[in-house]
Amino acid sequence: KLANDHGLSSLVYNNLEKQGCSGFVPEKYRYILRKSRLLSMARNAAMMHQLEEVAAITGVKTVLLKGAALELMIYGNSGLRQMNDVDVLMTREDSVKSFRLLEQNGYRSLPVKSVFHRLIIDHIGKHLPSLIKGGLSIELHHDLFDTVASDLNRAFFEKSEKTSTGSVKVFLPEPCIFFLYLVRHIDKHEQLD
């Protein structure tokens, strides 16, 4: 339960198998962990396909964030990093244009607070409302460190390196700046809880 609550079931199962320790886990729980791993692999594959579609539709520089970046950088695209959505970074201008393009290509936006909120959405917050297609969600971020740290935002975007996921080029963040962002992101979530 704890492994599942923290999104680590797939990693736990993999490590138990790798170390030859899965036999020490009761069959019932081993089955649950294995099933979680297979579901994670399938979901991550679908999300990577969605990411390729988003990059192809938008045609702009797309930097992977959070789970999608960790999956490729650390886990080797093997389903070990359980994800609920795909988060990407774009420039503010590109995120607004991409948002509209994606809506024209079958993505639906989660409801905004009001019609007036829609007019200023790109000037507040760190990302636009989630876009959903086929049960999968993507968030287009345009700010990571707040405007007070605009140099970090710019460095995060500019120092990212091109990589391939299938037929489409996306960008992975520079590891040190990515680490700073992840620490800040976790800290913000801790403060909210």
Side-chain angles (χ1 to χ4, degrees):
K1 184 182 181 315
L2 192 58
N4 190 56
D5 289 350
H6 289 279
L8 298 171
S9 298
S10 183
L11 186 60
V12 166
Y13 179 79
N14 181 71
N15 289 347
L16 286 169
E17 285 289 307
K18 198 173 176 179
Q19 299 302 318
C21 298
S22 62
F24 296 107
V25 177
E27 178 62 34
K28 173 183 168 183
Y29 299 111
R30 195 167 56 237
Y31 172 79
I32 292 169
L33 290 170
R34 182 176 182 277
K35 185 178 171 186
S36 178
R37 170 81 196 279
L38 295 174
L39 286 171
S40 182
M41 290 171 68
R43 186 165 179 82
N44 287 8
M47 287 185 179
M48 288 302 167
H49 177 73
Q50 179 189 44
L51 179 62
E52 291 172 15
E53 180 183 67
V54 166
I57 290 170
T58 63
V60 300
K61 183 175 181 178
T62 304
V63 183
L64 303 184
L65 299 173
K66 302 180 190 173
L70 289 170
E71 176 70 2
L72 293 177
M73 294 171 74
I74 306 297
Y75 299 112
N77 201 17
S78 57
L80 295 178
R81 176 56 169 87
Q82 292 173 242
M83 295 187 285
N84 295 320
D85 62 359
V86 174
D87 296 87
V88 297
L89 175 67
M90 299 176 171
T91 65
R92 188 177 297 273
E93 299 76 28
D94 284 345
S95 68
V96 173
K97 290 176 194 169
S98 295
F99 187 86
R100 299 208 192 322
L101 272 173
L102 291 167
E103 280 187 314
Q104 292 167 9
N105 282 276
Y107 284 81
R108 66 176 175 78
S109 170
L110 289 180
V112 292
K113 294 175 185 172
S114 73
V115 176
F116 302 110
H117 188 248
R118 193 167 190 55
L119 299 173
I120 61 167
I121 195 94
D122 59 322
H123 298 291
I124 59 173
K126 296 184 180 314
H127 60 80
L128 299 173
S130 295
L131 289 163
I132 299 170
K133 184 177 181 182
L136 301 174
S137 174
I138 186 158
E139 284 189 354
L140 308 179
H141 292 252
H142 51 75
D143 186 8
L144 301 177
F145 296 99
D146 297 320
T147 50
V148 294
S150 59
D151 289 345
L152 273 176
N153 285 316
R154 190 171 29 263
F156 193 101
F157 191 76
E158 291 174 359
K159 291 185 178 197
S160 61
E161 294 190 21
K162 193 182 291 188
T163 191
S164 294
T165 78
S167 60
V168 176
K169 303 287 185 216
V170 292
F171 291 77
L172 292 174
E174 188 279 326
C176 289
I177 300 173
F178 186 37
F179 180 72
L180 284 176
Y181 164 68
L182 290 173
V183 169
R184 186 174 192 291
H185 182 72
I186 290 168
D187 182 58
K188 256 194 141 123
H189 275 283
E190 290 294 318
Q191 291 175 18
L192 294 174
D193 287 343

